[in-house]
Amino acid sequence: MGRGIVMAAVGAALTMTLAGCGSDGGGDDPGGAARDKGGASRDDRTDAREVLLAAAKKTGAQPSYKTIQTGKGGSDRSEMLYQKKPAATVVKAEVGKSAANPDGTSHMLSAGGVTYVKTAKVPGKSWYSMDVGGSGSHKEGAPRAAGYVAEFTGALAATKSTEWVAEEKVGGRPADHYRGKVVLDELAKYRGPALSKDLRDMYVGLAKKQGMSSVVIDMWVGKDDLVLKSRETGTGKKGREEINEEYSDFGAVPRISAPPAGAVATWDEFIAAQAQP
């Protein structure tokens, strides 16, 4: 859906770092399947809730990963790197060509509560900075590079219609495909281990703001319980919307650090440079 794509305008997306939402759910855990070190039952991958809770927990614990996010038909492509500690992200998004983005690419890096934007418009500098307030990447305005793993796994695990579809391959790796129709009014009443109240309310609120009443979520979980791919589709105010995300490089993303201070212009310097002919 359009709300999921990282926009060219800095500060347009709401950051929610991935939080492991796995839990065995106590007495309401269906099937009571035995778990091994990976978390989910190895002899019954068709137990959608069991596998999705384990996948949310294990994927959320990863120190870093890469996400490729696209919209309907593969448009609005963003390549995102997520680092958990210290919190940092990199977002390279395909955007419309403009004076500010002559190559049609927006390149942002967030670290230490500051968002840095790649620029060729300030002489002697290669970035300009925008302080989004505070430390960490929980602040409104920083690029959202963790993707929708937590929301999608949680919504599917909380939805009774969710079921195993088939074993398929994602990037050459075997994965279990799960699908469910999430009715937003029903999800808004959910109380359980799959979604925290804050994450549930945020997800439902953003979807309803776009005019959605329900969405269909597909998710592909590898045999090691890492989420490899997801897709959300629904119909809202602008017609059919779609978000596709593919996840890779778990724990293998190069360390993300802020650019050298000498290469960074202030926001005022960037604005002043725009005024030059």
Side-chain angles (χ1 to χ4, degrees):
M1 292 156 57
R3 62 188 163 84
I5 302 299
V6 178
M7 284 75 71
V10 177
L14 177 64
T15 296
M16 173 60 69
T17 56
L18 190 63
C21 57
S23 170
D24 63 7
D28 64 350
D29 193 29
R35 301 179 183 211
D36 65 5
K37 294 181 180 179
S41 168
R42 291 303 174 186
D43 57 358
D44 187 9
R45 300 291 289 181
T46 62
D47 186 341
R49 181 173 179 271
E50 180 86 0
V51 173
L52 289 165
L53 286 175
K57 184 175 182 178
K58 186 168 183 179
T59 307
Q62 297 304 301
S64 64
Y65 57 86
K66 176 181 178 180
T67 303
I68 300 294
Q69 187 185 87
T70 59
K72 183 171 57 180
S75 61
D76 301 319
R77 186 179 188 277
S78 295
E79 180 177 314
M80 304 180 285
L81 303 180
Y82 165 76
Q83 175 180 288
K84 195 171 185 178
K85 292 182 181 180
T89 65
V90 174
V91 178
K92 294 181 181 179
E94 294 179 1
V95 299
K97 292 185 178 182
S98 65
N101 292 288
D103 62 352
T105 301
S106 174
H107 184 178
M108 295 178 286
L109 184 156
S110 292
V114 180
T115 294
Y116 303 89
V117 184
K118 194 80 171 176
T119 182
K121 295 293 184 178
V122 182
K125 309 286 185 178
S126 53
W127 301 84
Y128 67 87
S129 64
M130 293 185 67
D131 189 339
V132 298
S135 62
S137 60
H138 293 260
K139 302 298 179 179
E140 185 171 349
R144 182 193 172 108
Y148 280 93
V149 177
E151 290 93 324
F152 290 172
T153 52
L156 278 181
T159 298
K160 294 181 179 179
S161 69
T162 301
E163 54 187 12
W164 181 85
V165 177
E167 181 177 304
E168 300 169 1
K169 286 194 174 183
V170 177
R173 298 176 61 183
D176 292 288
H177 179 186
Y178 302 92
R179 177 184 295 143
K181 181 178 181 180
V182 179
V183 178
L184 296 173
D185 284 341
E186 293 178 1
L187 184 63
K189 300 174 184 176
Y190 174 78
R191 304 289 189 276
L195 278 174
S196 68
K197 181 181 182 300
D198 288 345
L199 193 59
R200 179 204 67 199
D201 290 348
M202 176 184 292
Y203 178 68
V204 171
L206 288 173
K208 284 192 170 184
K209 188 175 181 180
Q210 282 207 318
M212 306 287 180
S213 60
S214 66
V215 296
V216 173
I217 299 177
D218 290 83
M219 183 158 280
W220 289 260
V221 180
K223 299 300 182 179
D224 56 0
D225 288 337
L226 289 173
V227 179
L228 301 179
K229 181 180 176 181
S230 67
R231 179 175 65 236
E232 181 200 55
T233 57
T235 301
K237 298 175 183 177
K238 298 182 179 180
R240 183 176 182 275
E241 300 280 359
E242 181 176 313
I243 299 177
N244 299 284
E245 293 187 338
E246 294 191 29
Y247 317 98
S248 62
D249 296 0
F250 295 101
V253 170
R255 186 175 178 84
I256 302 170
S257 302
V264 180
T266 65
W267 173 250
D268 289 341
E269 289 173 331
F270 172 71
I271 293 300
Q274 304 311 296
Q276 299 299 318

